[in-house]
Amino acid sequence: MKDQEQLLKEFQEKIDREEKIEPKDWMPEEYRKTLIRQISQHAHSEVVGMLPEGNWITRAPNLRRKAILLAKIQDEAGHGLYLYSAAETLGIDRDTLIDELLSGKAKYSSIFNYPALTWADMGAIGWLVDGAAIVNQVALCRTSYGPYARAMVRICKEESFHQRQGYEILLALCRGNAAQKKMAQDSLNRWWWPSLMMFGPSDKNSAHTAHSMNWKIKRFTNDELRQKFVDMTVPQANVLGIKIPDDKLQWNEQRGHYDFGEINWEEFNHVVKGNGPCNRQRLDDRRKAHEEGQWVRDAAMAYAEKRSNKIA
């Protein structure tokens, strides 16, 4: 029987060969825990992320916008289901994951604790929030854990649609009257810095980056992904004709990247600890939805049991 050291060696060699780790493969407990933490946080973010957009379904400016927003929210729910299923392959049940979210023990992306105040925010969320998600998630299509990587392929395709949909909302506003363009600028002002925070703490303060990079769960560090996002987004803002709210933003010819200002990490930590503008509201809304949906879960279980008994 192989000892722990030999198992670890073979595990790392498999990852280094770019072979996927599958649910029945041996894996270190720390690798499993890291994946559960990351995948569950990702799943929770997809589900909680439906809330600020759901508030705008009844206030969408026309039927076309309403239909698109409904489809987007439905996609986000599906993403959560894919990711909960991927987490379950690691030996944790979905009820436990959801209980951890509703109790406040589990984290989700800090950006969903900010309010969506205007219709332009639906554009900013699509363009900036989903745009930041794409930068992170495209790399996750090559993550070392097979079920996670495969779930990300479809998610990335749908998130790309969401990003373009959000950008189109802002483009329409920027081509409108002065009040509409001002609304677009205001949404950019409020969502820009929280979008940069989405990539997590700076590399020097990240507790999980080293392990995740070594195990190829992540392919890029938080700061590398943040830089990719800034480089991608600045030219898009220029096309819109609105200004990114950062006086230190400028192209660095020597680096071949944009330099940008310092993130307010005190604000980031404040929100992560549950003290953001909408932390309490988001969890209250999720608990309410979970409680009111209990009859659906009960009905589904009753039907499954009845069908199982009939087949038996």
Side-chain angles (χ1 to χ4, degrees):
M1 188 174 180
K2 297 178 182 178
D3 60 21
Q4 185 79 1
E5 186 175 339
Q6 181 63 28
L7 288 169
L8 281 169
K9 181 175 181 292
E10 292 178 1
F11 173 80
Q12 189 63 53
E13 287 173 348
K14 186 172 184 178
I15 287 177
D16 293 341
R17 292 195 302 268
E18 299 289 343
E19 296 178 20
K20 296 298 183 196
I21 305 300
E22 299 297 342
K24 292 185 179 180
D25 294 342
W26 183 89
M27 63 187 74
E29 183 61 18
E30 191 61 30
Y31 177 83
R32 189 183 76 87
K33 288 181 178 179
T34 298
L35 280 169
I36 290 174
R37 177 191 59 79
Q38 180 169 326
I39 298 173
S40 64
Q41 181 175 318
H42 193 166
H44 300 328
S45 299
E46 297 284 357
V47 173
V48 175
M50 297 158 53
L51 296 173
E53 295 171 319
N55 289 333
W56 279 92
I57 292 173
T58 59
R59 293 179 285 170
N62 55 49
L63 183 60
R64 173 176 172 267
R65 296 292 188 191
K66 187 190 295 284
I68 293 171
L69 185 59
L70 280 166
K72 182 179 190 291
I73 293 169
Q74 183 177 348
D75 284 348
E76 307 294 4
H79 298 172
L81 293 178
Y82 305 153
L83 293 164
Y84 284 133
S85 295
E88 285 180 310
T89 65
L90 291 159
I92 188 167
D93 64 87
R94 191 171 308 191
D95 287 341
T96 298
L97 295 174
I98 293 173
D99 286 345
E100 289 179 350
L101 169 65
L102 299 180
S103 69
K105 178 182 178 181
K107 296 289 188 287
Y108 55 86
S109 181
S110 62
I111 199 160
F112 298 119
N113 291 310
Y114 291 85
L117 303 177
T118 70
W119 173 251
D121 288 7
M122 295 300 96
I125 289 172
W127 174 40
L128 298 175
V129 177
D130 292 321
I134 291 167
V135 170
N136 183 47
Q137 292 171 7
V138 165
L140 289 175
C141 291
R142 297 188 296 119
T143 192
S144 60
Y145 188 58
Y148 193 19
R150 290 188 287 273
M152 291 314 306
V153 173
R154 178 168 178 174
I155 290 174
C156 283
K157 289 178 180 178
E158 293 177 349
E159 293 288 9
S160 295
F161 165 78
H162 300 164
Q163 194 267 352
R164 291 193 294 272
Q165 172 255 346
Y167 190 77
E168 193 267 340
I169 288 176
L170 291 180
L171 186 62
L173 290 171
C174 289
R175 289 175 174 175
N177 59 37
Q180 289 171 322
K181 188 167 185 178
K182 183 179 179 181
M183 185 191 298
Q185 179 66 64
D186 175 67
S187 69
L188 173 57
N189 293 346
R190 287 182 289 104
W191 288 95
W192 173 252
W193 291 106
S195 295
L196 295 191
M197 296 176 194
M198 278 182 68
F199 296 97
S202 62
D203 292 346
K204 63 183 179 182
N205 295 321
S206 176
H208 305 288
T209 294
H211 273 318
S212 293
M213 293 289 287
N214 185 52
W215 287 326
K216 297 188 179 180
I217 296 173
K218 294 178 65 171
R219 297 287 178 152
F220 300 96
T221 69
N222 295 348
D223 288 340
E224 287 172 338
L225 292 169
R226 199 169 0 252
Q227 184 70 67
K228 283 175 180 278
F229 174 71
V230 173
D231 292 346
M232 175 186 81
T233 308
V234 173
Q236 296 171 355
N238 293 338
V239 171
L240 291 173
I242 51 181
K243 185 179 183 299
I244 288 175
D246 182 356
D247 293 336
K248 295 183 179 179
L249 182 70
Q250 62 179 355
W251 178 254
N252 186 319
E253 193 68 40
Q254 187 174 0
R255 291 200 311 121
H257 296 286
Y258 281 96
D259 292 334
F260 54 95
E262 181 68 18
I263 292 170
N264 184 344
W265 293 116
E266 185 177 342
E267 177 185 335
F268 172 77
N269 291 325
H270 187 72
V271 175
V272 168
K273 290 177 181 177
N275 300 312
C278 297
N279 286 70
R280 184 173 298 176
Q281 178 186 341
R282 297 291 184 246
L283 282 182
D284 285 347
D285 288 346
R286 278 310 309 154
R287 291 188 192 104
K288 181 181 178 183
H290 187 74
E291 291 166 3
E292 292 180 351
Q294 184 62 50
W295 71 271
V296 178
R297 296 189 294 277
D298 291 342
M301 287 300 297
Y303 175 80
E305 290 175 8
K306 182 178 180 181
R307 185 171 178 81
S308 176
N309 293 335
K310 186 176 181 180
I311 293 173

